[in-house]
Amino acid sequence: MADPRAFISFDYDHNSDEKVLFAGQAKHSKTPFNIEDWSSKSHLPQSQWEKLVEEKINKCNMLIVLVGKFMASALGANKEIEFAKKNNVPIFGVYVGGA
């Protein structure tokens, strides 16, 4: 059986380094889930971004939220959390960046 897939949600403006470190550590350790870079690879209109991200979250078994000091203002991450809730994808948080 394949390991569960995890979507990583984070504050792009403040916690990109933590995302790279978290994903790298998970990839090179024996975590019980797979992390792939599910981020949008290009700038898209909001409606296209929302559709793409919601589809990607629905293909995952969990949403891991890297919770930094400024997460409340991270509109994209908050939208990703909404998508996970709407589609019953389990969510858990990891504090990063001194939060």
Side-chain angles (χ1 to χ4, degrees):
M1 177 184 220
D3 287 337
R5 291 183 306 267
F7 185 101
I8 306 299
S9 182
F10 63 101
D11 179 349
Y12 182 84
D13 293 328
H14 298 100
N15 299 114
S16 291
D17 290 343
E18 288 89 343
K19 182 260 187 181
V20 170
L21 294 171
F22 184 86
Q25 185 176 15
K27 190 168 276 231
H28 298 291
S29 67
K30 295 185 185 245
T31 58
F33 49 83
N34 290 323
I35 295 178
E36 299 294 333
D37 185 359
W38 293 87
S39 306
S40 174
K41 305 298 183 230
S42 61
H43 181 71
L44 299 171
Q46 185 69 22
S47 62
Q48 287 180 340
W49 177 86
E50 288 181 9
K51 183 177 189 279
L52 177 69
V53 169
E54 186 169 11
E55 288 172 358
K56 289 180 178 185
I57 290 171
N58 282 334
K59 292 178 183 174
C60 291
N61 304 97
M62 68 187 87
L63 178 78
I64 300 173
V65 181
L66 301 182
V67 182
K69 291 179 184 180
F70 304 102
M71 186 56 125
S73 65
L75 301 178
N78 287 313
K79 189 60 100 169
E80 291 164 354
I81 293 166
E82 285 180 29
F83 293 147
K85 285 181 178 180
K86 174 181 158 188
N87 294 290
N88 297 315
V89 175
I91 304 166
F92 73 91
V94 176
Y95 289 113
V96 298

